[in-house]
Amino acid sequence: MNKLYVAILSAGLFFATAAQAQDEWVIKADKIDPVNYYGITVANGMIGIVSSPEPFKVKNVVLAGAYDLYGRGRVSNFLTSFNLLNMSLQINGQDMNNSNIQNFKQQLDMQHAAFTATFDYGDEASVKYTYYSLRQLPFTVLMDITITAKKKITVTSSSVMQAPDALKDVQNYFNEVDGAHGRISLLTSTAKSPTGKLQLCASTTFLFEEPDGQEPRLLHQLEDNNAHWMQFSKEIPAGTTYRYSVVGSSITSAHDADPLNQVERLTMFAKLEGRDRLIKYHEAAWAELWKSDIKIDGDPQAQQDVHSMLYHLY
């Protein structure tokens, strides 16, 4: 069995997975081995998301332009920001994890800068989620989730906001804003960088397909100073698919003078844009970049390698 190592020029991160003839645009990991796993990045030039071998988890979130002294003496490091795309999913009361799911697969679609994972939960459900670092909104990310019920199931989904250990003076908020466009529930956190030089902020909200007033009711829970989450429960009839999304933003005082206000404003804007428009404009921005593509005929592996290099440069 060969190993596929896809080099990333900007971050030095890569997948490790069984490889055969390759799609020129899609890098696949069909057998997830947490011991031999190296995260691959979805990014837009400002905010980067590193994948995880665990379902509904991302390893970390990094912001360009945010540096502080920690971990390496007097040398400045990239700051790892709040992990705003970690999720948890329960089906009929059971947490989805590597021990109880089957057919867990991941892939990176470089043409559309989209990372997708799929898995099955026994004979009860199939799950798919895709996340994006939105090209048209430099500080904003989106995760889109679909759950297809094979039997009648009850799901509980949580959007988890977790602060890296290096951050200090963490403060967590849950706000519900009522307006002409309905209620917007915001899960928000703010903290200081290790030396206190910078303020880091992040905020997320759910996007539902139900009309205003019929969306699932959200509950807020605080685990400790470093983590809190909002969650909802939903009954899904057999043979039907339920779709929802999480959108969030992350920004620091290196980027904006009032990052706490700005991060919630950006998240509310994304909520009002809606999932379909967010993905549409993200894909249009990447289509414009790929006008500078390099074409190679007759060698899909070489074409994939070149696409990987260009993707990570972009």
Side-chain angles (χ1 to χ4, degrees):
M1 181 183 299
N2 294 324
K3 295 286 187 178
L4 169 66
Y5 296 100
V6 182
I8 294 181
L9 299 179
S10 58
L13 303 169
F14 48 85
F15 266 135
T17 182
Q20 296 177 355
Q22 295 303 306
D23 185 294
E24 66 180 56
W25 287 109
V26 179
I27 302 170
K28 297 180 180 180
D30 294 330
K31 296 181 180 178
I32 309 298
D33 178 6
V35 176
N36 295 301
Y37 184 94
Y38 303 87
I40 202 162
T41 303
V42 170
N44 61 12
M46 177 59 69
I47 188 168
I49 312 160
V50 184
S51 66
S52 166
E54 297 289 329
F56 278 105
K57 299 292 186 290
V58 300
K59 183 180 179 181
N60 52 44
V61 177
V62 179
L63 277 172
Y67 307 91
D68 203 1
L69 303 177
Y70 73 102
R72 296 174 59 194
R74 299 176 63 183
V75 179
S76 293
N77 279 336
F78 267 118
L79 280 175
T80 301
S81 185
F82 288 94
N83 197 328
L84 71 165
L85 274 192
N86 265 352
M87 303 281 291
S88 71
L89 178 68
Q90 293 182 348
I91 297 179
N92 294 334
Q94 295 296 312
D95 286 312
M96 298 296 97
N97 55 61
N98 281 333
S99 68
N100 60 13
I101 64 173
Q102 303 83 41
N103 305 318
F104 186 34
K105 299 178 181 180
Q106 297 177 340
Q107 69 175 42
L108 173 68
D109 177 350
M110 294 180 288
Q111 187 174 19
H112 303 103
F115 179 93
T116 297
T118 58
F119 63 84
D120 296 315
Y121 178 58
D123 61 353
E124 298 184 52
S126 295
V127 179
K128 175 182 177 181
Y129 61 91
T130 301
Y131 60 73
Y132 310 82
S133 184
L134 296 171
R135 191 80 198 189
Q136 77 278 25
L137 298 175
F139 300 99
T140 303
V141 297
L142 172 72
M143 180 181 285
D144 190 33
I145 302 117
T146 57
I147 303 172
T148 300
K150 302 173 185 178
K151 298 180 178 178
K152 179 181 175 182
I153 58 173
T154 298
V155 301
T156 299
S157 181
S158 302
S159 174
V160 182
M161 182 79 72
Q162 189 164 7
D165 292 337
L167 301 187
K168 63 182 186 178
D169 301 332
V170 179
Q171 298 180 54
N172 300 310
Y173 307 96
F174 179 70
N175 302 314
E176 292 189 318
V177 181
D178 290 313
H181 298 283
R183 174 179 290 145
I184 301 177
S185 299
L186 295 170
L187 186 76
T188 303
S189 290
T190 180
K192 295 291 186 180
S193 64
T195 67
K197 180 178 70 172
L198 295 179
Q199 182 182 9
L200 294 86
C201 302
S203 186
T204 63
T205 190
F206 278 107
L207 307 180
F208 296 108
E209 292 192 327
E210 292 91 337
D212 289 340
Q214 299 180 30
E215 298 179 345
R217 189 65 179 176
L218 298 177
L219 299 177
H220 176 240
Q221 296 190 44
L222 180 66
E223 179 177 330
D224 53 41
N225 285 341
N226 287 336
H228 66 136
W229 63 88
M230 57 182 173
Q231 67 179 31
F232 71 92
S233 294
K234 178 78 175 183
E235 188 176 279
I236 306 176
T240 64
T241 296
Y242 184 67
R243 186 177 187 183
Y244 63 99
S245 305
V246 172
V247 68
S249 302
S250 184
I251 199 169
T252 79
S253 55
H255 307 97
D256 191 275
D258 186 3
L260 182 56
N261 177 68
Q262 180 73 338
V263 79
E264 292 192 332
R265 187 191 73 82
L266 291 171
T267 302
M268 287 190 286
F269 174 82
K271 166 86 170 183
L272 296 177
E273 279 284 271
R275 179 194 63 237
D276 292 343
R277 282 173 60 86
L278 291 174
I279 296 174
K280 173 184 175 182
Y281 288 117
H282 166 82
E283 292 183 345
W286 273 94
E288 186 67 24
L289 286 173
W290 285 118
K291 288 181 179 179
S292 298
D293 193 10
I294 298 172
K295 300 291 187 181
I296 299 175
D297 292 331
D299 190 341
Q301 184 60 69
Q303 181 70 85
Q304 187 193 77
D305 292 342
V306 169
H307 280 159
S308 178
M309 294 175 188
L310 289 171
Y311 165 80
H312 291 102
L313 284 171
Y314 291 149

